[in-house]
Amino acid sequence: RERYAENPAGGSTDAMEGFPLLRKAHCMFGWDWGPHLPDAGMWRNISLLAVDRARLVSVHVRQKHENGKVTLTFSPETESYAAGELTCSYTVTAPDGTAFVSTGEPIVVENPQLWWPNGFGEQPLYKVEAVLFCDGKEQDTWSARIGLRTVTMKREKDQWGESFETCVNGVSIFAMGADYIPEDNILSNITPERTRALIADCKAANFNAIRVWGGGYYPDDWFYDACDEAGLLVWQDFM
């Protein structure tokens, strides 16, 4: 309130004065479904990392679908703290256990098992594992599960104006779902088990899509993993 008095900044008739000066989710300052309850302190896990020479932060996996095959390319995000040559190796394991290994070159998956939204097919997931080396010495590992799929928007002129269709693997689907808002006013109460139970309910209600609402926060990785497993497309709002 003292800072607000020095430099008034509004933006919402629902929130308390000075709310832009608190770096919190918008909904904590009141919404039609929730109270004015901005939290304080740390609510996600904190880690102290000891790094030798380099670490592997993440890997961006790109997919190219064509003629009954999928080509996977890998772009690692690394942090280096010492001189040396950084290299990565990759292993992609199919749902049936078949493994594809690469020392950095693209991996081609023949006759891929495609991921489909709930109600349109199965949701097979491929495991991607990466190992980071510095001058041949292993430094770090990273892993994730991905679905092999294409997702595009079909926008074509028609008699009403323009279409707006979600297409998965070239098939237009009718997106059915709802908004995902924070599950609790106290964010530390949200757990992987609680979120997975909610996503299971969404699947049982015949959702095939879910929108991460822009007044909340970016969910943890387990949210997106649960959506992959349940066959839910994610419409991701910016916060």
Side-chain angles (χ1 to χ4, degrees), residues 43 183-195 217 222:
W43 56 278
E183 298 172 43
D184 200 294
N185 290 113
I186 308 300
L187 297 184
S188 56
N189 287 341
I190 303 171
T191 64
E193 294 74 22
R194 178 175 174 176
T195 298
Y217 67 97
W222 71 66

Side-chain angles (χ1 to χ4, degrees), residues 63-72 92-98 100 107-116 124-126 147-149 169:
Q63 306 181 21
K64 182 179 181 180
H65 292 243
E66 57 183 353
N67 302 325
K69 65 180 181 181
V70 177
T71 301
L72 302 176
V92 175
T93 305
D96 63 5
T98 303
F100 307 85
I107 287 178
V108 178
V109 180
E110 302 281 355
N111 301 313
Q113 300 180 53
L114 298 181
W115 181 98
W116 291 95
L125 296 174
Y126 287 69
L148 301 185
R149 62 206 166 193
N169 303 325

Side-chain angles (χ1 to χ4, degrees), residues 10-198:
S12 173
T13 57
D14 295 322
M16 71 281 288
E17 291 183 347
F19 81 94
L21 299 168
L22 290 176
R23 184 63 172 156
K24 295 295 179 180
H26 288 61
C27 62
M28 292 183 178
F29 302 101
W31 217 271
D32 54 3
W33 51 263
H36 294 222
L37 196 61
D39 71 354
M42 295 171 253
W43 56 278
R44 275 180 163 143
N45 292 335
I46 297 172
S47 300
L48 183 63
L49 300 177
V51 180
D52 181 11
R53 302 177 67 182
R55 77 184 190 100
L56 185 56
V57 179
S58 184
V59 177
H60 186 190
V61 185
R62 294 179 173 87
Q63 306 181 21
K64 182 179 181 180
H65 292 243
E66 57 183 353
N67 302 325
K69 65 180 181 181
V70 177
T71 301
L72 302 176
T73 57
F74 311 94
S75 300
E77 179 187 354
T78 62
E79 292 180 356
S80 179
Y81 302 96
E85 180 186 10
L86 297 183
T87 57
C88 283
S89 67
Y90 305 94
T91 301
V92 175
T93 305
D96 63 5
T98 303
F100 307 85
V101 181
S102 164
T103 55
E105 64 275 2
I107 287 178
V108 178
V109 180
E110 302 281 355
N111 301 313
Q113 300 180 53
L114 298 181
W115 181 98
W116 291 95
N118 182 32
F120 286 80
E122 300 300 317
Q123 294 80 43
L125 296 174
Y126 287 69
K127 185 176 183 180
V128 181
E129 299 172 282
V131 181
L132 175 68
F133 301 89
C134 183
D135 291 336
K137 181 181 178 182
E138 182 175 327
Q139 300 293 314
D140 202 358
T141 61
W142 175 93
S143 66
R145 290 191 302 159
I146 64 172
L148 301 185
R149 62 206 166 193
T150 62
V151 182
T152 58
M153 298 305 298
K154 183 178 180 181
R155 299 174 62 189
E156 297 180 352
K157 298 298 181 182
D158 55 30
Q159 59 180 312
W160 300 281
E162 187 178 68
S163 64
F164 191 74
E165 302 173 34
T166 303
C167 295
V168 181
N169 303 325
V171 177
S172 293
I173 72 165
F174 186 85
M176 301 182 293
D179 283 350
Y180 174 75
I181 64 172
E183 298 172 43
D184 200 294
N185 290 113
I186 308 300
L187 297 184
S188 56
N189 287 341
I190 303 171
T191 64
E193 294 74 22
R194 178 175 174 176
T195 298
R196 286 185 177 278
L198 179 65

